[in-house]
Amino acid sequence: MSLLRNSIVHVGSWAALVGFGLWAYYDPGFEPVIALIAGVVGIVTNVEDLPLGRGSRRKLTPEKKIELRDKWGPVFKDFFLRTARDSYRTDVIVHDVARLDHYPDVEEKGSGISSWFRVGFMGTYQRGILLGLRWTYLKQGADDNWHEYQLDGPDDVIKVILLAEVPYEVIESFNPDGDNFYHKPHLYLHFDYGGQPYERLFYGEQRRLFEDSPFFYSQIAEFKPPPWIQRLKEKCRLF
């Protein structure tokens, strides 16, 4: 559905919901209830296409997903085999396809994820690639929950990396050679997951089977974002 048509459907459905809801409240009857149900159906059946701006998730058919996985899987598996053989580790510049022309400008403080940024290029998993967001430390507490220590942690912590899973189907293009600004690989992604390209975040411990083999990462714990009040305090502290 096009953006214009989708917007019309949502505006009309919400207008019907509010208008006929008021009608049903002040003058209960069969007609306003039927119209009210129609408004709800219009919203629910198009909820995935709600035009909330950047970050709306694309709809891909299973056939398209298979095509993209078959396209990118061999490319990145070969890339990481070669980097392991050459003992070469690298970062990658991630670009948001929807904001392509923002590069190489440096964005000022704002809400949401940057249009381009640099992260670790760590490896692959079954359905995509792994990006390394930060090295950190974990320790399992008496409550069986894992607690993160970025600085000044106890002695018996485990060194892990916060990893982001990026499915092959959000990849639009890959430039392994870099450009005039950054001589690092460049990755062009659709930010399909709430304005981010990450399907899932988890803490992983780095391992390898033998020398010159690609690294892999054993999951230690799922990443749990801090409570919203803590995130709000952290954001306010930046200003």
Side-chain angles (χ1 to χ4, degrees), residues 39 140 171 179 231:
Q140 194 168 24
I171 300 173
D179 60 14
R231 297 199 301 270

Side-chain angles (χ1 to χ4, degrees), residues 10-170:
H10 276 284
V11 170
S13 297
W14 280 103
L17 183 65
V18 173
F20 289 110
L22 291 173
W23 183 12
Y25 178 79
Y26 289 106
D27 186 17
F30 179 75
E31 295 87 350
V33 171
I34 293 298
L36 190 63
I37 293 174
V40 172
V41 170
I43 294 171
V44 171
T45 55
N46 294 280
V47 66
E48 292 186 358
D49 296 319
L50 187 62
L52 296 176
R54 179 171 55 86
S56 297
R57 188 170 180 177
R58 297 168 303 140
K59 286 185 176 180
L60 299 178
T61 64
E63 293 80 7
K64 186 62 176 179
K65 289 183 179 181
I66 292 172
E67 177 187 336
L68 291 170
R69 292 175 187 179
D70 288 344
K71 173 184 177 180
W72 293 117
V75 171
F76 289 102
K77 288 176 182 176
D78 179 68
F79 176 86
F80 286 108
L81 282 172
R82 287 187 286 106
T83 57
R85 180 194 62 202
D86 299 337
S87 299
Y88 172 65
R89 302 296 298 274
T90 184
D91 292 339
V92 64
I93 308 300
V94 172
H95 300 259
D96 180 3
V97 172
R99 296 176 288 166
L100 185 63
D101 292 336
H102 290 205
Y103 177 83
D105 298 335
V106 178
E107 297 179 354
E108 300 296 332
K109 292 179 180 178
S111 60
I113 192 170
S114 175
S115 60
W116 66 273
F117 51 91
R118 178 174 172 174
V119 290
F121 208 18
M122 311 311 295
T124 63
Y125 67 105
Q126 182 182 4
R127 296 191 295 106
I129 58 174
L130 294 172
L131 302 180
L133 304 186
R134 67 170 181 265
W135 289 98
T136 186
Y137 299 89
L138 292 183
K139 180 181 178 180
Q140 194 168 24
D143 56 359
D144 290 333
N145 292 321
W146 290 91
H147 303 276
E148 182 177 357
Y149 299 89
Q150 296 188 34
L151 294 172
D152 301 326
D155 294 334
D156 53 346
V157 294
I158 302 174
K159 185 178 181 180
V160 296
I161 186 169
L162 179 60
L163 293 162
E165 292 183 347
V166 177
Y168 289 130
E169 52 263 32
V170 306

